[in-house]
């Protein structure tokens, strides 16, 4: 199987150097790397020119937005599967080899994030050590974008990323979750593979906590995502996940546990003002 590694980057030259180094060390070699560079300067472009690897496809674009970058990359993808790799993450050497062993054109593969700061697994799957099909609740709470490998068949049947979701868009999160939910409606499944590890310097939620604006965007996007899919008849089971957040909120209030009320309010705001229907 051939993999298309999709990377969107913006003014992060040092990060992408480490990222590309980890890719070059893979034990499995049938892949291509598609880089969509949204940087204002040409530093990243100049660096890419120094790399002698015809598997790297580079495009410098003027638009902003992660979903737009990923959709642009998919125009050039020739792989059977595409990998959503962050520019500041890097794979274990056997990552693609393990993915190749578990490939199925109707299955999305999910590895896990390893926090290189705290030196611990950043995983919340119900079973961290064994392969298993990921349920809807885990998809909404767990599936890390940088550890997803998606069959190109899903794009053919479900369409591209919804560019209204994701970093730099109206709703600042949820673009990969939206795509997975659309895939589930078409009969695709998501499977967790414990041997596929992506190293990330800072866990996703800690990144959000450092940047209040990103955090606001994240929870508003989550609310808009729930609205988009809950009003579709096939995804009414999402209501359970949505109401679970509220139940936990009220229980923690009653027990005087610490809980960030602003997060819930922003999610509700996204739900009220969110999207309806599908693309």
């Amino acid at each position: 199987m051939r993999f298309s590694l999709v990377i969107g980057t913006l003014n992060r030259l040092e990060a992408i150097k480490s990222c590309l180094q980890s890719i070059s060390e893979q034990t499995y070699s049938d892949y291509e790397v598609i880089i969509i560079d949204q940087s204002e300067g040409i530093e990243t472009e100049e660096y890419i020119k120094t790399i002698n690897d015809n598997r790297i496809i580079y495009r410098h674009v003027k638009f902003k937005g992660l979903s737009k970058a990923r959709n642009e990359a998919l125009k050039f993808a020739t792989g059977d599967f595409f990998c959503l790799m962050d520019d500041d993450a890097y794979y274990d050497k056997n990552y693609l080899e393990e993915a190749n062993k578990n490939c199925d054109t109707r299955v999305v593969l999910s590895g896990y994030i390893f926090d290189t700061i705290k030196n611990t697994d950043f995983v919340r799957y119900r079973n961290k050590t064994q392969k298993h099909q990921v349920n809807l609740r885990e998809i909404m709470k767990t599936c890390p974008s940088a550890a997803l490998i998606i069959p190109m068949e899903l794009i053919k049947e479900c369409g591209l990323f919804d560019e209204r979701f994701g970093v730099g868009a109206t709703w600042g999160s949820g673009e990969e979750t939206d795509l997975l939910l659309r895939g589930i409606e078409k009969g695709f499944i998501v499977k967790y593979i414990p041997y596929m590890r992506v190293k990330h310097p800072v866990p996703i939620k800690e990144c959000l906590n450092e940047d209040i604006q990103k955090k606001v965007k994240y929870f508003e996007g989550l609310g808009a995502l729930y609205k988009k899919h809950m009003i579709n008849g096939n995804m009414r089971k999402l209501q359970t996940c949505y109401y679970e957040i509220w139940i936990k909120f009220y229980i923690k209030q009653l027990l005087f546990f610490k809980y960030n009320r602003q997060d819930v309010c922003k999610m509700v705001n996204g739900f009220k003002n969110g999207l309806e229907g599908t693309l």
Side-chain angles (χ1 to χ4, degrees), residues 98-158:
E98 291 295 341
N100 186 60
K101 293 177 183 177
N102 292 279
C103 281
D104 187 307
T105 55
R106 304 297 298 180
V107 175
V108 176
L109 300 180
S110 175
Y112 67 96
I113 298 290
F114 182 80
D115 174 7
T116 57
I117 301 297
K118 296 183 177 179
N119 201 36
T120 185
D121 295 343
F122 186 62
V123 180
R124 293 179 182 169
Y125 290 114
R126 63 186 184 275
N127 188 330
K128 299 179 182 179
T129 60
Q130 294 182 355
K131 290 190 289 186
H132 65 270
Q133 184 173 336
V134 179
N135 60 35
L136 189 61
R137 183 174 181 273
E138 288 176 311
I139 288 173
M140 295 305 297
K141 292 178 173 291
T142 305
C143 277
S145 174
L148 291 177
I149 296 183
I150 302 173
M152 202 63 72
E153 190 65 29
L154 189 148
I155 293 294
K156 292 177 182 178
E157 294 188 27
C158 303

Side-chain angles (χ1 to χ4, degrees), residues 143-206:
C143 277
S145 174
L148 291 177
I149 296 183
I150 302 173
M152 202 63 72
E153 190 65 29
L154 189 148
I155 293 294
K156 292 177 182 178
E157 294 188 27
C158 303
L160 295 167
F161 287 95
D162 186 337
E163 294 182 359
R164 297 169 294 186
F165 288 97
V167 176
T170 302
W171 306 105
S173 65
E175 72 281 7
E176 68 282 338
T177 307
D178 169 67
L179 187 62
L180 295 185
L181 293 177
R182 285 154 52 199
I184 289 172
E185 290 180 351
K186 296 289 188 179
F188 289 84
I189 67 170
V190 181
K191 185 178 290 187
Y192 168 68
I193 309 298
Y195 324 114
M196 290 169 46
R197 184 173 72 164
V198 179
K199 295 177 182 178
H200 203 287
V202 182
I204 297 169
K205 285 204 170 182
E206 289 192 12

Side-chain angles (χ1 to χ4, degrees), residues 245-261:
I245 296 174
W246 279 102
I247 292 170
K248 286 183 176 180
F249 170 63
Y250 284 120
I251 289 175
K252 289 185 176 183
Q253 274 197 325
L254 289 172
L255 298 177
F256 302 103
F257 286 174
K258 184 178 179 181
Y259 197 83
N260 196 328
R261 184 182 182 89

Side-chain angles (χ1 to χ4, degrees), residues 33-87:
V33 183
I34 308 173
I35 301 170
I36 305 300
D37 183 12
Q38 299 175 316
S39 305
E40 288 82 8
I42 61 171
E43 291 83 3
T44 300
E45 183 175 0
E46 292 299 316
Y47 171 71
I48 298 299
K49 289 179 180 178
T50 67
I51 303 175
N52 184 24
D53 191 339
N54 58 14
R55 292 173 297 184
I56 296 178
I57 301 170
Y58 173 86
R59 293 292 184 275
H60 196 168
V61 297
K62 294 182 179 180
F63 61 78
K64 297 293 190 293
L66 183 56
S67 290
K68 287 185 177 181
R70 288 171 169 173
N71 284 343
E72 181 70 14
L74 288 172
K75 294 178 183 178
F76 305 100
T78 62
D80 306 291
F81 298 82
F82 65 95
C83 311
L84 298 179
M85 193 172 190
D86 287 350
D87 61 359

